[in-house]
Amino acid sequence: MTVDPLEMFKSQAKELVKNTLSRMGINTELPLEIPPEEMGDYAFPCFLLAKEMKKSPVEIAKLLCQEIPDDLTFSKRLANGPYINFYINPEMLVQITIESIMEMREDYGTWPNTGININLSIPVQILTVRSMLAGPEIRFSGIQLLGY
């Protein structure tokens, strides 16, 4: 499972919406947004479907919310105005995060394929981030650096 647990939830939400729209004969892909915290973890605006379905985005959100099948990944989903809001199931988040930590061990929390760790005890500055990003690129490009 060497993926970010939140990426897994994001992919699952996209897949649920995509499959539901497909069953309804609609091939439009809705963009995923991150709503304010009290409104869930992921949101899909239904504005793009209004013209195709000849309904208001609010009605479309309610309809889609009813049509999307239940999934253990999310504790609930709500039609909130013209948006469908998904709430991550906290128990699933904990379970998947622990599984990911157990699998990756000491590599958990590092940037993929670079071994970069951020020291959170000091403020991160833009030059620090630039150096962290450029270092692996230079190393893997084959450029020889002179050491002092």
Side-chain angles (χ1 to χ4, degrees), residues 1-11 93 96-97 100 104 108:
M1 155 162 337
T2 60
V3 297
D4 175 7
L6 292 178
E7 279 300 315
M8 194 271 318
F9 286 104
K10 184 190 251 185
S11 296
L93 176 60
I96 292 170
T97 302
S100 185
M104 297 179 73
Y108 187 83

Side-chain angles (χ1 to χ4, degrees), residues 54-83:
K54 296 179 179 29
K55 294 182 180 181
S56 77
V58 174
E59 291 174 25
I60 294 169
K62 288 177 185 175
L63 175 66
L64 283 176
C65 200
Q66 292 171 353
E67 293 294 322
I68 294 173
D70 289 336
D71 187 273
L72 295 176
T73 311
F74 300 99
S75 58
K76 64 180 175 179
R77 65 185 177 282
L78 299 172
N80 187 355
Y83 292 86

Side-chain angles (χ1 to χ4, degrees), residues 14-53:
K14 286 181 176 181
E15 194 67 26
L16 285 169
V17 171
K18 180 181 175 183
N19 290 343
T20 301
L21 289 172
S22 181
R23 281 195 314 273
M24 297 171 75
I26 299 168
N27 293 325
T28 304
E29 187 173 328
L30 294 180
L32 181 134
E33 296 181 2
I34 305 298
E37 190 173 327
E38 66 278 358
M39 297 180 136
D41 298 297
Y42 302 114
F44 293 90
C46 296
F47 302 106
L48 294 175
L49 300 173
K51 188 173 184 180
E52 186 174 350
M53 295 180 72

